Amino acid sequence: MDGDIAFLQAPPVSPKPTPDPAEQKKPWSHKRRDTDMNSLRSEATRLKAGLQNMANDVDHLMNSVAESVDAKTDKVLHDGRRSLHAATTRTQAFVHRRPWQVIGAVAAAAYLLGVLTRARRR
């Protein structure tokens, strides 16, 4: 009968091996570290591509602004030249119509300038 009882009894359970304390302190396994490094690399690649796209957008924007400024600058220069030409034409016409008035105005301006600079020298 003891043989029958031995058959019904569970085999002795061996205790689980206790893990090495040094192994328990390692939070990263090699496989997990490799996975995390690949994840970091892909994230870095994605960020690099995003920064490159942003740099391209900024470059495009700056070129657009420069073209706009160039167009506006050209317009201002053209308008300025046209105004200067018109003023020169009007001045020449005035000088030819009233030469003695212009000579008197220039003489008065020169006299005033002389008086002002002489006063500063003293």
Side-chain angles (χ1 to χ4, degrees):
M1 202 142 173
D2 281 335
D4 290 335
I5 294 176
F7 174 72
L8 294 173
Q9 290 178 345
V13 178
S14 62
K16 290 184 178 179
T18 45
D20 183 19
E23 289 292 323
Q24 285 182 340
K25 290 182 181 178
K26 291 183 182 177
W28 299 93
S29 67
H30 290 295
K31 185 176 181 182
R32 184 173 177 193
R33 184 186 63 194
D34 291 342
T35 303
D36 288 342
M37 288 300 288
N38 289 337
S39 164
L40 287 173
R41 283 188 187 115
S42 67
E43 184 68 17
T45 303
R46 187 181 67 76
L47 287 173
K48 183 179 176 184
L51 287 174
Q52 185 64 40
N53 287 339
M54 190 185 315
N56 290 339
D57 290 346
V58 168
D59 189 44
H60 178 70
L61 180 63
M62 288 178 66
N63 287 335
S64 298
V65 168
E67 289 171 4
S68 174
V69 168
D70 286 345
K72 288 179 182 179
T73 302
D74 288 344
K75 184 181 181 315
V76 167
L77 284 174
H78 178 70
D79 291 347
R81 286 181 183 143
R82 190 174 58 211
S83 297
L84 181 63
H85 179 70
T88 303
T89 304
R90 285 192 306 259
T91 304
Q92 284 179 348
F94 182 80
V95 168
H96 285 286
R97 278 193 314 254
R98 297 184 176 98
W100 292 108
Q101 287 179 347
V102 172
I103 291 172
V106 169
Y111 177 76
L112 267 169
L113 186 64
V115 168
L116 292 174
T117 57
R118 186 173 176 214
R120 284 192 175 183
R121 285 188 208 163
R122 290 183 182 186

